[in-house]
Amino acid sequence: MNKVVLGADQAISDIEDGAVIMLGGFGLCGIPENCIAALVRKKVKHLTCISNNAGVDDFGIGLMLQQRQVKKMISSYVGENAEFERQLLSGELEVELIPQGTLATRCLAAGYGMPAIYTPAGVGTEVAAGKEVRTFNGKEFLMEMAFNADFAIVKAWRGDTQGNLIFRATSRNFNPLMAMAGKLTIAEVEELVPVGELDPDHIHTPGIYVHRIFKGSNYEKRIEQRTTRIR
Amino acid sequence: MNKVVLGADQAISDIEDGAVIMLGGFGLCGIPENCIAALVRKKVKHLTCISNNAGVDDFGIGLMLQQRQVKKMISSYVGENAEFERQLLSGELEVELIPQGTLATRCLAAGYGMPAIYTPAGVGTEVAAGKEVRTFNGKEFLMEMAFNADFAIVKAWRGDTQGNLIFRATSRNFNPLMAMAGKLTIAEVEELVPVGELDPDHIHTPGIYVHRIFKGSNYEKRIEQRTTRIR
Amino acid sequence: MGMTKEQIAQRIARELRDGYYVNLGIGIPTLVANYIPSGMSVVLQSENGLLGMGPFPFDGEEDADLINAGKQTITTLPGSVFFDSAMSFGMIRAGKVDLTVLGAMEVSQDGDIANWKIPGKMVKGMGGAMDLVASARNIIVAMMHTNPKGESKLLPACQLPLTGIRCVKRIVSDLAVLDVHDGVFHLLERAPGVSVDYIKERTAGTLVVQGEIPEIIF
Amino acid sequence: MGMTKEQIAQRIARELRDGYYVNLGIGIPTLVANYIPSGMSVVLQSENGLLGMGPFPFDGEEDADLINAGKQTITTLPGSVFFDSAMSFGMIRAGKVDLTVLGAMEVSQDGDIANWKIPGKMVKGMGGAMDLVASARNIIVAMMHTNPKGESKLLPACQLPLTGIRCVKRIVSDLAVLDVHDGVFHLLERAPGVSVDYIKERTAGTLVVQGEIPEIIF
């Protein structure tokens, strides 16, 4: 049983046109840079991408948008991205906007085998259109369905050869949730260690959820809003 | 803002007769020994206890059963416990048995503000009696409600003065879930450290879920089934 | 006339209590962090997965893995915790965050809020706003009382697509502090030098004024 | 006549595949761990919160914080992971565990299973059994073909309170290996020295026997 693959190209080799893929990350923080680059190289098209954001024009999922590889984005915030805007307005790109907590919890539901969850987010708004509204203890909730994605692609800080993952700081975000939610989960890691090197109490994603893992390279880890203070 | 209390007696001082309390632990592993002892000392009665197990005759929740402090147990497995059996047969004690995964997920639901969850566990069995059955993708699920407990009492390995908790090995079990689920959460820890000493990436329960914390003492950590192999 | 953004933030900071866990939205709400009274323990939640948000890093110490919900580089504090987005919105949904402060384009006298979408303009998405407003036990809106054209943003009913309904409890605008309950706005405090009549004229929704309305003192 | 408990476990172990994640119940299922082919990577899940269950500890090295779902002291292995009970049953419910092996008091030809409660006897609880049977993609039941009175435990319909319905895929009893589908039992293999007729006589449910039924070889 070997989950370790050589690199991003091998890891994503069976992602075909029309696939539904989840991509971890919040903004540009914790995104699977290597796999995104490989998807661009593979020129796979008509993808449905579930990711909190859509990258920026020249980085992250923005690179896939530039190559017109994305048919539909399912996100909570698509931010400043001129190419995204152009494709959306021209009708080339379909966008489904869903509340961030709903996005996260629909991943959790998939990873925990729960077909649907109830959340108050979006009650009384256009997000509720066509959805079941149900009252519990006098408060209204929307029923939201678990995601059903062919692939999940996540980025972790450290991983071992059994696919156990540890994330770092706020680059954790959606990564462990999507790792659980994908039918097939690919993890790229900054550091790939032999099995037994990660403390079993510190692992965020158990390897049972991870099917392929590789050590990524040349991480750019671009910063979207560089804010600092004076010493 | 001070979450640190002197000890178990102070921590549970406002738990009154008739309270609904959750107690962490699986078997005797990871149970809040100090708080259980304090509840026995306080002689608080008519409690509803939500805990995966009911201890053994002379340890864990069994100590509270001996003092007839428990009106109702909500558990998945009540094991070998003669006093428990006697009270159950005599009608002194009420028992609600629920599947272990349902127990865990009803805690998670409470901690995550989800009023109800769907699980396939118990479909077609007596557990389903009176519950809504709903079909998703051709499979039947039961709707199970989030717990609503006045107090959660958990045991962690290490904690800091802001209530951040780290659990050890399989003594984690229900503890982080119940910590999230209680309206008021009390944590007893083997080691209480100053804030800043726990790695923010390794904390299992964020302090936002914990209202009181203290360093427990004299942990017995009794082993229920001592199984070993020969060298 | 009216309060500056800093003064709005400063006034909101007076709503903080020791031990509060607080989520601050982008814009004026972020400024509230600058006015936490010293000695008061207030823990800031950032919904991308952090409790205990610290100040911006010193120049050169930015960490790409450590950002807030506005995607700004930040720092941690002693006691900080990281978690995933499901737990983050879980604690929000469960009402564990004591106070949420966010901006608004419109608020109605029923407590509805619109702050994510303007028809005809490019939609960027609601991010975590719908979760926050639907879940928070206590929401304060930080906003300008009127739009640049001078039209009231405190309305009988929101005109813009809603972010959430019946959720806003309190508004701190540049002109006033108001509570929202029982289907009307209640005037509580006036900005320095702003008259009750001036506020009335700029409040399109029903405004209840009871007794003497104190002026905010800084 | 028929297989020993060890042989049942040994036969079940032949169902293991490299890379499997497996949950083994208490009793005969636990013995399956002793027959994992060397060189094959099989990770054992213990539903109290562990992936990668190792053998019992050496005498004197027991750790009270490290037990399995049967409350026995155990050890970890390189690659082990601890998690909470919600994640544990989450991965079970999501079908991430490849194989679940558990005991049964009765199995019906529809794949229903009863293994938690006997009317009139003290009820101990279902523990994680209902979650496991309702969720697992692949369930093998390890059981005696008959009760001590010689009555079949493979029935047209279960008499005891059910643990789960339409879930059992395969049975390895002391007498035979059987599949359960299309509302009948299908005989696949015979225990050493056990005849098809002998199995037929001891199977109360409908038993389909097609072609030559091979004898299990150890």
Side-chain angles (χ1 to χ4, degrees):
Chain A
M1 207 8 232
N2 184 19
K3 295 183 176 183
V4 180
V5 294
L6 286 175
D9 294 301
Q10 189 188 347
I12 60 120
S13 60
D14 55 353
I15 299 184
E16 303 292 349
D17 289 359
V20 178
I21 59 176
M22 300 181 138
L23 295 125
F26 179 93
L28 302 178
C29 181
I31 60 173
E33 296 183 18
N34 282 247
C35 283
I36 290 171
L39 286 166
V40 170
R41 280 193 295 273
K42 192 170 193 282
K43 298 187 170 57
V44 59
K45 289 209 180 331
H46 311 301
L47 298 173
T48 295
C49 292
I50 303 169
S51 189
N52 190 57
N53 312 94
V56 294
D57 270 322
D58 61 345
F59 203 58
I61 293 175
L63 297 171
M64 292 161 67
L65 289 165
Q66 280 191 358
Q67 303 302 314
R68 318 245 168 106
Q69 296 177 276
V70 183
K71 183 185 71 177
K72 182 175 180 179
M73 277 301 313
I74 299 177
S75 303
S76 86
Y77 191 83
V78 290
E80 351 282 319
N81 189 320
E83 176 61 18
F84 185 97
E85 188 166 346
R86 196 198 59 71
Q87 289 183 28
L88 184 62
L89 294 173
S90 72
E92 289 167 72
L93 179 67
E94 197 183 335
V95 176
E96 185 180 339
L97 291 170
I98 55 184
Q100 196 174 137
T102 303
L103 184 67
T105 314
R106 288 175 65 189
C107 293
L108 182 79
Y112 278 11
M114 302 190 290
I117 55 104
Y118 289 101
T119 175
V123 167
T125 76
E126 62 183 57
V127 164
K131 287 175 189 158
E132 178 177 318
V133 181
R134 186 156 176 164
T135 302
F136 294 93
N137 304 317
K139 180 164 177 159
E140 290 183 326
F141 294 82
L142 299 185
M143 187 170 80
E144 297 275 7
M145 308 306 288
F147 279 122
N148 186 13
D150 303 317
F151 295 90
I153 306 177
V154 304
K155 150 74 170 50
W157 177 45
R158 305 180 77 198
D160 71 20
T161 53
Q162 274 190 16
N164 296 308
L165 305 178
I166 292 178
F167 303 91
R168 184 174 172 275
T170 57
S171 72
R172 192 182 319 180
N173 56 64
F174 287 86
N175 280 301
L177 302 166
M178 291 181 170
M180 297 195 300
K183 279 203 275 287
L184 191 146
T185 294
I186 298 161
E188 57 173 271
V189 297
E190 289 183 57
E191 199 183 338
L192 182 63
V193 302
V195 74
E197 287 213 1
L198 303 180
D199 185 325
D201 278 326
H202 296 165
I203 291 165
H204 299 124
T205 298
I208 192 171
Y209 284 113
V210 176
H211 304 88
R212 296 174 195 160
I213 190 167
F214 68 94
K215 185 187 178 314
S217 52
N218 301 317
Y219 281 104
E220 187 175 335
K221 292 206 194 181
R222 201 183 289 188
I223 290 174
E224 217 164 333
Q225 304 278 344
R226 186 176 302 270
T227 45
T228 57
R229 68 189 145 129
I230 294 152
R231 244 169 242 272
Chain B
M1 207 9 231
N2 185 20
K3 295 182 177 185
V4 180
V5 295
L6 286 175
D9 294 302
Q10 190 187 346
I12 60 123
S13 59
D14 54 353
I15 299 185
E16 303 292 348
D17 289 358
V20 178
I21 58 176
M22 301 183 137
L23 295 126
F26 179 92
L28 302 178
C29 181
I31 61 172
E33 296 183 18
N34 281 250
C35 283
I36 289 171
L39 287 166
V40 170
R41 280 194 295 274
K42 191 170 195 279
K43 299 186 170 61
V44 58
K45 289 211 180 330
H46 312 300
L47 298 173
T48 295
C49 293
I50 303 169
S51 190
N52 190 56
N53 312 93
V56 294
D57 271 322
D58 62 345
F59 203 58
I61 293 174
L63 297 171
M64 292 161 67
L65 289 165
Q66 280 190 357
Q67 303 302 315
R68 318 241 167 110
Q69 298 178 275
V70 183
K71 183 184 72 178
K72 181 175 180 180
M73 277 302 311
I74 300 176
S75 303
S76 86
Y77 190 84
V78 289
E80 351 283 320
N81 189 321
E83 177 61 18
F84 185 96
E85 189 165 347
R86 195 198 59 70
Q87 290 183 25
L88 184 60
L89 294 174
S90 72
E92 289 167 72
L93 180 66
E94 195 184 336
V95 176
E96 185 180 340
L97 291 170
I98 56 183
Q100 197 174 135
T102 303
L103 183 67
T105 314
R106 288 175 65 189
C107 293
L108 181 78
Y112 278 12
M114 302 190 290
I117 56 105
Y118 288 101
T119 176
V123 168
T125 76
E126 63 183 57
V127 164
K131 287 175 189 158
E132 177 176 319
V133 181
R134 187 156 177 164
T135 303
F136 294 94
N137 304 316
K139 179 164 178 159
E140 289 182 327
F141 294 81
L142 298 185
M143 187 169 82
E144 298 275 7
M145 307 306 289
F147 279 122
N148 186 13
D150 302 318
F151 295 90
I153 305 177
V154 304
K155 150 77 171 50
W157 176 45
R158 305 180 76 199
D160 71 20
T161 53
Q162 274 190 14
N164 296 308
L165 305 178
I166 293 179
F167 302 92
R168 184 173 172 276
T170 58
S171 72
R172 194 184 316 182
N173 56 65
F174 288 86
N175 280 302
L177 302 166
M178 291 180 170
M180 296 195 301
K183 279 202 276 285
L184 192 145
T185 294
I186 298 160
E188 57 173 88
V189 297
E190 289 183 56
E191 198 183 336
L192 182 63
V193 302
V195 75
E197 286 213 1
L198 303 180
D199 185 326
D201 278 326
H202 297 165
I203 291 165
H204 298 125
T205 298
I208 192 172
Y209 285 113
V210 176
H211 304 88
R212 296 176 196 158
I213 189 167
F214 68 94
K215 184 186 181 311
S217 51
N218 301 316
Y219 281 104
E220 188 175 336
K221 291 205 194 185
R222 201 183 289 190
I223 290 174
E224 217 164 334
Q225 305 277 343
R226 188 177 300 271
T227 45
T228 56
R229 70 189 144 131
I230 294 153
R231 244 168 243 272
Chain C
M1 185 79 84
M3 293 187 279
T4 63
K5 289 178 178 182
E6 279 70 21
Q7 285 177 314
I8 294 173
Q10 203 174 341
R11 174 59 192 85
I12 290 172
R14 294 182 190 168
E15 308 285 319
L16 301 173
R17 298 291 173 268
D18 190 40
Y20 261 22
Y21 291 91
V22 179
N23 183 293
L24 301 176
I26 295 167
I28 301 176
T30 302
L31 302 175
V32 174
N34 301 332
Y35 299 101
I36 299 170
S38 69
M40 185 183 282
S41 159
V42 169
V43 178
L44 301 181
Q45 204 253 18
S46 190
E47 68 265 26
N48 57 317
L50 169 63
L51 270 169
M53 181 163 54
F56 294 147
F58 290 120
D59 201 42
E61 293 182 0
E62 310 91 319
D63 178 348
D65 288 339
L66 182 47
I67 64 172
N68 65 16
K71 282 135 195 166
Q72 299 171 312
T73 46
I74 47 153
T75 57
T76 57
L77 295 170
S80 288
V81 198
F82 298 115
F83 35 81
D84 66 43
S85 302
M87 180 178 267
S88 182
F89 285 94
M91 65 182 65
I92 288 168
R93 216 184 289 114
K96 302 291 174 182
V97 174
D98 298 289
L99 177 63
T100 294
V101 183
L102 74 174
M105 301 194 267
E106 293 178 352
V107 174
S108 85
Q109 60 196 34
D110 290 318
D112 299 351
I113 179 171
N115 73 350
W116 78 286
K117 187 177 180 178
I118 300 175
K121 284 208 182 177
M122 171 68 186
V123 182
K124 293 180 177 176
M126 68 292 280
M130 284 192 182
D131 306 273
L132 282 160
V133 301
S135 306
R137 280 190 289 127
N138 194 8
I139 296 177
I140 298 179
V141 167
M143 67 191 294
M144 294 294 123
H145 213 95
T146 56
N147 66 20
K149 291 187 216 162
E151 296 161 342
S152 179
K153 295 165 75 173
L154 283 68
L155 305 170
C158 293
Q159 307 298 307
L160 295 171
L162 294 175
T163 307
I165 56 171
R166 295 186 296 276
C167 52
V168 176
K169 301 281 190 293
R170 183 162 285 192
I171 298 167
V172 179
S173 77
D174 54 330
L175 302 184
V177 179
L178 310 98
D179 269 2
V180 193
H181 58 79
D182 299 318
V184 289
F185 297 109
H186 299 260
L187 184 60
L188 300 182
E189 299 171 25
R190 296 174 293 122
V194 173
S195 71
V196 169
D197 282 345
Y198 190 89
I199 296 163
K200 269 187 186 167
E201 282 162 24
R202 281 155 187 81
T203 304
T206 307
L207 182 70
V208 173
V209 183
Q210 274 183 322
E212 193 68 25
I213 304 301
E215 190 176 287
I216 302 164
I217 298 163
F218 289 100
Chain D
M1 184 78 85
M3 294 187 279
T4 62
K5 290 180 177 181
E6 279 71 20
Q7 285 177 315
I8 294 174
Q10 205 175 340
R11 174 60 192 81
I12 290 172
R14 294 182 191 168
E15 308 285 320
L16 301 173
R17 297 292 173 267
D18 190 39
Y20 261 24
Y21 291 90
V22 179
N23 183 292
L24 301 176
I26 294 167
I28 302 175
T30 301
L31 302 174
V32 174
N34 301 332
Y35 299 102
I36 299 170
S38 70
M40 185 184 280
S41 159
V42 169
V43 177
L44 300 181
Q45 203 251 17
S46 190
E47 67 265 26
N48 57 317
L50 170 63
L51 270 169
M53 180 164 52
F56 294 147
F58 290 121
D59 202 42
E61 294 183 0
E62 308 91 318
D63 178 348
D65 288 339
L66 183 46
I67 64 171
N68 65 17
K71 282 133 195 167
Q72 299 170 311
T73 46
I74 47 153
T75 57
T76 56
L77 295 171
S80 287
V81 199
F82 298 115
F83 35 81
D84 66 43
S85 301
M87 179 178 266
S88 182
F89 284 94
M91 63 181 67
I92 287 167
R93 215 183 291 116
K96 301 292 174 182
V97 174
D98 298 289
L99 177 64
T100 294
V101 184
L102 73 174
M105 300 193 266
E106 293 178 353
V107 173
S108 86
Q109 60 196 36
D110 290 319
D112 298 352
I113 179 170
N115 74 348
W116 77 286
K117 186 176 182 179
I118 300 175
K121 285 207 182 179
M122 170 68 187
V123 182
K124 293 180 177 174
M126 68 292 282
M130 286 194 181
D131 305 274
L132 282 160
V133 302
S135 306
R137 281 191 287 127
N138 194 9
I139 295 178
I140 298 179
V141 167
M143 67 191 295
M144 294 294 122
H145 213 95
T146 56
N147 66 21
K149 291 187 214 162
E151 297 162 343
S152 178
K153 295 164 74 171
L154 282 69
L155 304 171
C158 292
Q159 307 299 306
L160 295 172
L162 294 174
T163 308
I165 56 171
R166 296 187 294 277
C167 53
V168 176
K169 301 280 189 294
R170 182 162 285 191
I171 297 167
V172 179
S173 77
D174 54 331
L175 301 184
V177 180
L178 310 98
D179 269 4
V180 192
H181 58 79
D182 299 319
V184 289
F185 295 110
H186 299 260
L187 184 60
L188 300 181
E189 299 171 24
R190 297 174 292 121
V194 174
S195 71
V196 169
D197 282 344
Y198 190 90
I199 296 163
K200 268 188 187 167
E201 283 162 24
R202 280 156 187 81
T203 305
T206 306
L207 181 70
V208 172
V209 183
Q210 274 183 322
E212 194 68 27
I213 304 300
E215 190 177 287
I216 301 165
I217 298 163
F218 288 102

